[in-house]
Each structure stands twice: as C-alpha cells, then as structure tokens.
Amino acid sequence: MEGTPIDAETTLSRTDRAVHGDLPEETVLLDVDAGMAVRLNPTGAWIWDQLGQPRRVGQLASGLAERFEIDEGRALGDVVAFAREMARRELLAAS
C-alpha cells in the first residue's frame, strides 16, 4: 500500500480490518488484526464517516473545506495525510 500514490483522483474505501465506535466527543477505530485503537480528531472522524462508501480524495477535500471552513488546498493536504496514515495502517484502501 505504501507504493500507492494518493492524490485528488484517488478513490478511498474502508477495509474490513477496522471497526469504529463513537464515544462522547471522539471517534475511535479498533484495528482488530493488530489489536490497536486509533483515536481520530474531528477532521479524521469526519473523513472516516464520509467513507461509509468509497469516495475520491478530491470530493472529500471539497466537503472538508466546506464543513470546517478552511482553504481547499489545506483540506486536500489534510485528506491526503489522513489517507496515507490510514493506508499505512491498512485501515483504508486506495485505488
């Protein structure tokens, strides 16, 4: 997965490796294979929620920019960074 480039045209989807739960004021992913929990910040939680179905990085960045009222360039960088980290952990697939 580390060799997969991630850009605005990349489609992201959740893998079966993680289950998630919403706790008061935070979202936590449980990597069942590794037995590790990943706590998501509000940005990551929003992205994860949007990935209930596969979406392109560019679509996520546009929505993130609107939702959090940030520059679309920054939003794209945030989505790409999140996607790379979650792909590294094998919690997201990129195609």
Side-chain angles (χ1 to χ4, degrees):
M1 181 68 63
E2 296 209 20
T4 304
I6 297 176
D7 60 27
E9 296 303 314
T10 303
T11 298
L12 301 176
S13 58
R14 295 178 185 173
T15 67
D16 293 334
R17 187 172 168 136
V19 294
H20 75 277
D22 295 317
L23 302 173
E25 306 200 20
E26 69 180 347
T27 298
V28 176
L29 303 180
L30 177 61
D31 180 340
V32 292
D33 291 346
M36 295 183 65
V38 178
R39 184 177 301 140
L40 300 179
N41 66 19
T43 301
W46 185 89
I47 295 169
W48 186 262
D49 185 57
Q50 298 303 302
L51 288 169
Q53 58 184 306
R55 295 199 189 273
R56 281 187 8 260
V57 168
Q59 292 172 308
L60 291 167
S62 292
L64 186 69
E66 183 177 320
R67 169 72 174 86
F68 289 92
E69 299 179 350
I70 60 174
D71 176 81
E72 200 153 331
R74 176 179 168 197
L76 180 60
D78 289 350
V79 173
V80 168
F82 177 84
R84 285 183 178 148
E85 179 60 21
M86 293 299 110
R88 184 187 68 76
R89 294 173 182 258
E90 298 179 7
L91 300 177
L92 285 181
S95 60

